mmCIF file of all heavy atoms in Angstrom:
data_model
loop_
_atom_site.group_PDB
_atom_site.id
_atom_site.type_symbol
_atom_site.label_atom_id
_atom_site.label_comp_id
_atom_site.label_asym_id
_atom_site.label_seq_id
_atom_site.Cartn_x
_atom_site.Cartn_y
_atom_site.Cartn_z
ATOM 1 N N LEU C 161 21.439 -61.208 27.058
ATOM 2 C CA LEU C 161 21.913 -61.463 25.699
ATOM 3 C C LEU C 161 22.161 -60.156 24.960
ATOM 4 O O LEU C 161 23.109 -60.058 24.176
ATOM 5 C CB LEU C 161 20.870 -62.317 24.954
ATOM 6 C CG LEU C 161 21.175 -62.647 23.489
ATOM 7 C CD1 LEU C 161 22.494 -63.410 23.370
ATOM 8 C CD2 LEU C 161 20.044 -63.443 22.856
ATOM 9 N N LEU C 162 21.339 -59.147 25.223
ATOM 10 C CA LEU C 162 21.521 -57.860 24.553
ATOM 11 C C LEU C 162 22.829 -57.187 24.956
ATOM 12 O O LEU C 162 23.385 -56.392 24.209
ATOM 13 C CB LEU C 162 20.350 -56.929 24.867
ATOM 14 C CG LEU C 162 18.984 -57.356 24.318
ATOM 15 C CD1 LEU C 162 17.897 -56.430 24.818
ATOM 16 C CD2 LEU C 162 18.985 -57.393 22.794
ATOM 17 N N THR C 163 23.326 -57.471 26.147
ATOM 18 C CA THR C 163 24.581 -56.848 26.600
ATOM 19 C C THR C 163 25.806 -57.609 26.118
ATOM 20 O O THR C 163 26.930 -57.189 26.384
ATOM 21 C CB THR C 163 24.616 -56.764 28.133
ATOM 22 O OG1 THR C 163 24.488 -58.074 28.686
ATOM 23 C CG2 THR C 163 23.504 -55.875 28.640
ATOM 24 N N GLY C 164 25.626 -58.730 25.384
ATOM 25 C CA GLY C 164 26.777 -59.452 24.848
ATOM 26 C C GLY C 164 26.385 -60.874 24.473
ATOM 27 O O GLY C 164 25.517 -61.490 25.089
ATOM 28 N N ASN C 165 27.019 -61.402 23.433
ATOM 29 C CA ASN C 165 26.696 -62.734 22.946
ATOM 30 C C ASN C 165 27.120 -63.793 23.950
ATOM 31 O O ASN C 165 28.300 -63.932 24.264
ATOM 32 C CB ASN C 165 27.391 -62.972 21.600
ATOM 33 C CG ASN C 165 26.833 -64.193 20.875
ATOM 34 O OD1 ASN C 165 25.920 -64.849 21.374
ATOM 35 N ND2 ASN C 165 27.368 -64.477 19.702
ATOM 36 N N CYS C 166 26.159 -64.526 24.496
ATOM 37 C CA CYS C 166 26.462 -65.529 25.520
ATOM 38 C C CYS C 166 26.971 -66.844 24.928
ATOM 39 O O CYS C 166 27.697 -67.588 25.590
ATOM 40 C CB CYS C 166 25.212 -65.832 26.352
ATOM 41 S SG CYS C 166 24.463 -64.390 27.111
ATOM 42 N N PHE C 167 26.561 -67.132 23.684
ATOM 43 C CA PHE C 167 26.878 -68.455 23.129
ATOM 44 C C PHE C 167 27.156 -68.352 21.636
ATOM 45 O O PHE C 167 26.218 -68.219 20.842
ATOM 46 C CB PHE C 167 25.718 -69.447 23.354
ATOM 47 C CG PHE C 167 24.413 -68.809 23.709
ATOM 48 C CD1 PHE C 167 23.595 -68.247 22.736
ATOM 49 C CD2 PHE C 167 24.001 -68.719 25.021
ATOM 50 C CE1 PHE C 167 22.393 -67.660 23.054
ATOM 51 C CE2 PHE C 167 22.796 -68.120 25.349
ATOM 52 C CZ PHE C 167 21.986 -67.593 24.381
ATOM 53 N N PRO C 168 28.431 -68.397 21.233
ATOM 54 C CA PRO C 168 28.763 -68.415 19.803
ATOM 55 C C PRO C 168 28.076 -69.573 19.092
ATOM 56 O O PRO C 168 27.741 -70.606 19.697
ATOM 57 C CB PRO C 168 30.285 -68.569 19.809
ATOM 58 C CG PRO C 168 30.707 -68.020 21.135
ATOM 59 C CD PRO C 168 29.608 -68.365 22.092
ATOM 60 N N SER C 169 27.893 -69.407 17.789
ATOM 61 C CA SER C 169 27.078 -70.363 17.021
ATOM 62 C C SER C 169 27.621 -71.781 17.064
ATOM 63 O O SER C 169 26.869 -72.752 17.118
ATOM 64 C CB SER C 169 26.989 -69.892 15.571
ATOM 65 O OG SER C 169 28.287 -69.811 15.010
ATOM 66 N N SER C 170 28.953 -71.946 17.028
ATOM 67 C CA SER C 170 29.509 -73.299 16.953
ATOM 68 C C SER C 170 29.433 -74.028 18.279
ATOM 69 O O SER C 170 29.854 -75.177 18.385
ATOM 70 C CB SER C 170 30.966 -73.232 16.474
ATOM 71 O OG SER C 170 31.719 -72.422 17.337
ATOM 72 N N VAL C 171 28.906 -73.394 19.308
ATOM 73 C CA VAL C 171 28.796 -74.020 20.618
ATOM 74 C C VAL C 171 27.384 -74.536 20.856
ATOM 75 O O VAL C 171 27.164 -75.358 21.727
ATOM 76 C CB VAL C 171 29.167 -72.992 21.720
ATOM 77 C CG1 VAL C 171 29.138 -73.610 23.090
ATOM 78 C CG2 VAL C 171 30.521 -72.390 21.451
ATOM 79 N N SER C 172 26.400 -74.101 20.064
ATOM 80 C CA SER C 172 24.998 -74.222 20.459
ATOM 81 C C SER C 172 24.200 -75.096 19.508
ATOM 82 O O SER C 172 24.410 -75.070 18.293
ATOM 83 C CB SER C 172 24.363 -72.825 20.516
ATOM 84 O OG SER C 172 25.213 -71.924 21.193
ATOM 85 N N MET C 173 23.219 -75.815 20.068
ATOM 86 C CA MET C 173 22.302 -76.642 19.272
ATOM 87 C C MET C 173 20.889 -76.118 19.471
ATOM 88 O O MET C 173 20.505 -75.733 20.577
ATOM 89 C CB MET C 173 22.385 -78.111 19.701
ATOM 90 C CG MET C 173 21.501 -79.030 18.850
ATOM 91 S SD MET C 173 21.553 -80.755 19.373
ATOM 92 C CE MET C 173 23.217 -81.172 18.961
ATOM 93 N N HIS C 174 20.110 -76.099 18.372
ATOM 94 C CA HIS C 174 18.752 -75.592 18.441
ATOM 95 C C HIS C 174 17.873 -76.348 17.448
ATOM 96 O O HIS C 174 18.345 -77.204 16.705
ATOM 97 C CB HIS C 174 18.728 -74.088 18.130
ATOM 98 C CG HIS C 174 19.448 -73.743 16.856
ATOM 99 N ND1 HIS C 174 20.803 -73.634 16.772
ATOM 100 C CD2 HIS C 174 18.977 -73.486 15.606
ATOM 101 C CE1 HIS C 174 21.158 -73.330 15.535
ATOM 102 N NE2 HIS C 174 20.069 -73.229 14.814
ATOM 103 N N ARG C 175 16.599 -76.009 17.402
ATOM 104 C CA ARG C 175 15.642 -76.726 16.569
ATOM 105 C C ARG C 175 15.675 -76.198 15.134
ATOM 106 O O ARG C 175 15.711 -74.975 14.910
ATOM 107 C CB ARG C 175 14.227 -76.586 17.140
ATOM 108 C CG ARG C 175 14.096 -77.074 18.568
ATOM 109 C CD ARG C 175 12.696 -76.893 19.124
ATOM 110 N NE ARG C 175 12.695 -77.111 20.564
ATOM 111 C CZ ARG C 175 12.615 -78.316 21.147
ATOM 112 N NH1 ARG C 175 12.502 -79.404 20.378
ATOM 113 N NH2 ARG C 175 12.642 -78.428 22.463
ATOM 114 N N ALA C 176 15.620 -77.102 14.181
ATOM 115 C CA ALA C 176 15.645 -76.727 12.768
ATOM 116 C C ALA C 176 14.422 -75.898 12.405
ATOM 117 O O ALA C 176 14.510 -74.959 11.597
ATOM 118 C CB ALA C 176 15.725 -77.980 11.895
#
Side-chain angles (χ1 to χ4, degrees):
L161 178 59
L162 294 174
T163 58
N165 194 1
C166 304
F167 17 80
S169 60
S170 57
V171 183
S172 314
M173 183 182 293
H174 51 280
R175 303 179 192 277

